Amino acid sequence: MPQAPNIVVQLIHIQGPLKGEIQEFSDPEITIGRHPSCHLQFPKDLAIISRNHARIVREGNRHKLIDESTNGTFVNGKPITEVYLKSGDVLTFAEEGGPKVSFVTEMKQAEPAPPPRPAPPRPIETPPTPNHQEEEQKRPEPTPPPIKKRPKPTPEPIKSEERKLVKDSVQETPPPADIPIERVKMPLAIQYGPTLRAYKELPITIGRKPDCDFTLEHPAILDRHAQIFFSGDSYGIKDLTGKAMITVNSQPINLHTFLSGGDRIHLSPRGPKFQFMAGGRLAEVEEESPSSNEAPESQQSEGPPEPEAADKKKSMFNKLFQR
């Protein structure tokens, strides 16, 4: 009988003393504040946070945020008293410059118990068969006549030119170097359109197949397209297409390459395109056209665009992780 799904709450710290951390909770109530008993505990010297600042209470399949603080709690920049949260909301505690987290929920289905192993079959005893040819097996076999060995021909000495040709013909091209990729606990966050996913372990696989860790519905993406990993002290990307489709900073990668902050990643010539940021973050980007900086005369006469309109053009991920 299938079990009920387990809802896991992820709080991704994008501003404040815990920036970069990802915390998971499955409790029916998540307490937030400076008190040692809080699930999400901020440092004691962070005076703008109350000892018991707020609570996230699960009600069925929904979660409600309740403010119990002195300096207030904000959801997507608006002050609240009680509000139902949705995945992707940004919570700010105390004030605009206070700690900021992203609220993400994930449904996890409990794995069924494995079926019991069947008992091994009992061995079948084979009765001994009578040896009717015992007398014939005991008879000695006739000795074959001796074989005369022919003398081995003496090989002719190999000339230096022939020796060089033989040596060059047996040389093999070494296979391309690869590195071992092991599963490690490192955070990674990916934003693609309105989707924001956070991971606590690497590597993860990107592709169109449903069994990939991050599924991309894009006509240029293959079933298993790329892999994000962590080795040594750096993040890296591996091309799984076998067609050298992935480029980093307009350069095709040879099997794999390590990433640095600000790198532009094209998963194919037709997109999608991402920017890698320090701390393990991938954000979708749109290429600017060459004439994008030239505004029509009608717009130039009207002056600069309204700040509110400019803010709407920023992607959700750039809002979360702006430095």
Side-chain angles (χ1 to χ4, degrees):
M1 181 177 179
Q3 300 182 3
N6 181 27
I7 301 179
V8 177
V9 173
Q10 291 184 342
L11 298 180
I12 307 172
H13 293 263
I14 54 181
Q15 180 175 296
L18 304 178
K19 180 179 178 180
E21 293 188 16
I22 301 176
Q23 296 178 300
E24 288 189 354
F25 304 96
S26 57
D27 305 84
E29 180 175 302
I30 305 169
T31 55
I32 304 168
R34 291 186 293 115
H35 196 274
S37 63
C38 291
H39 295 84
L40 171 52
Q41 182 183 358
F42 287 104
K44 296 181 179 180
D45 56 354
L46 193 60
I48 59 175
I49 301 296
S50 302
R51 290 173 59 84
N52 294 287
H53 197 96
R55 293 183 294 128
I56 300 177
V57 182
R58 177 176 174 178
E59 296 182 357
N61 290 338
R62 298 195 299 174
H63 290 79
K64 179 190 287 186
L65 175 64
I66 304 173
D67 177 52
E68 299 178 344
S69 66
T70 302
N71 295 327
T73 302
F74 303 81
V75 175
N76 299 327
K78 297 180 180 180
I80 63 95
T81 302
E82 291 185 3
V83 68
Y84 285 101
L85 298 173
K86 61 182 181 298
S87 186
D89 283 344
V90 179
L91 318 183
T92 306
F93 304 108
E95 55 191 24
E96 185 61 29
K100 185 181 296 185
V101 301
S102 176
F103 174 84
V104 179
T105 58
E106 182 178 0
M107 303 284 287
K108 290 188 176 181
Q109 187 74 29
E111 297 183 356
R117 295 183 178 180
R122 298 179 59 185
I124 302 175
E125 297 182 357
T126 304
T129 57
N131 193 353
H132 299 289
Q133 301 179 353
E134 183 177 358
E135 297 296 333
E136 296 181 2
Q137 292 179 357
K138 291 182 180 180
R139 293 178 183 177
E141 297 180 358
T143 304
I147 300 175
K148 294 182 180 181
K149 295 183 179 180
R150 295 181 180 181
K152 295 181 181 180
T154 305
E156 297 181 0
I158 301 176
K159 298 180 181 180
S160 59
E161 295 81 0
E162 296 177 353
R163 184 179 292 108
K164 184 177 184 301
L165 292 175
V166 173
K167 182 178 180 181
D168 294 342
S169 63
V170 299
Q171 286 182 349
E172 298 180 355
T173 304
D178 199 355
I179 58 173
I181 298 177
E182 299 178 355
R183 181 162 293 277
V184 295
K185 289 187 177 294
M186 288 300 296
L188 177 71
I190 303 178
Q191 177 265 323
Y192 178 70
T195 303
L196 175 63
R197 290 289 305 274
Y199 305 90
K200 301 182 71 176
E201 289 187 350
L202 295 179
I204 63 110
T205 304
I206 300 174
R208 296 189 67 177
K209 273 195 171 183
D211 59 351
C212 291
D213 300 296
F214 189 82
T215 305
L216 269 180
E217 292 295 338
H218 192 280
I221 296 300
L222 303 184
D223 289 344
R224 292 177 61 83
H225 199 94
Q227 186 181 62
I228 306 298
F229 64 91
F230 189 89
S231 180
D233 57 353
S234 301
Y235 288 84
I237 183 171
K238 186 173 183 178
D239 191 342
L240 302 180
T241 65
K243 302 178 181 180
M245 297 177 62
I246 301 176
T247 61
V248 176
N249 299 328
S250 302
Q251 297 295 326
I253 65 174
N254 183 15
L255 189 61
H256 68 266
T257 188
F258 290 99
L259 299 174
S260 302
D263 283 349
R264 290 293 182 101
I265 302 171
H266 290 203
L267 294 185
S268 77
R270 294 186 294 157
K273 308 174 182 66
F274 292 87
Q275 182 175 7
F276 177 77
M277 290 176 281
R281 291 163 285 173
L282 277 177
E284 184 191 13
V285 295
E286 296 181 358
E287 295 292 341
E288 297 180 358
S289 60
S291 59
S292 61
N293 295 330
E294 299 179 1
E297 294 181 0
S298 60
Q299 294 183 5
Q300 292 178 0
S301 61
E302 295 176 0
E306 293 294 332
E308 182 178 356
D311 289 341
K312 292 181 179 179
K313 296 182 179 180
K314 295 183 180 179
S315 66
M316 176 178 64
F317 194 84
N318 292 332
K319 284 184 179 180
L320 299 184
F321 294 99
Q322 60 184 354
R323 292 182 174 270

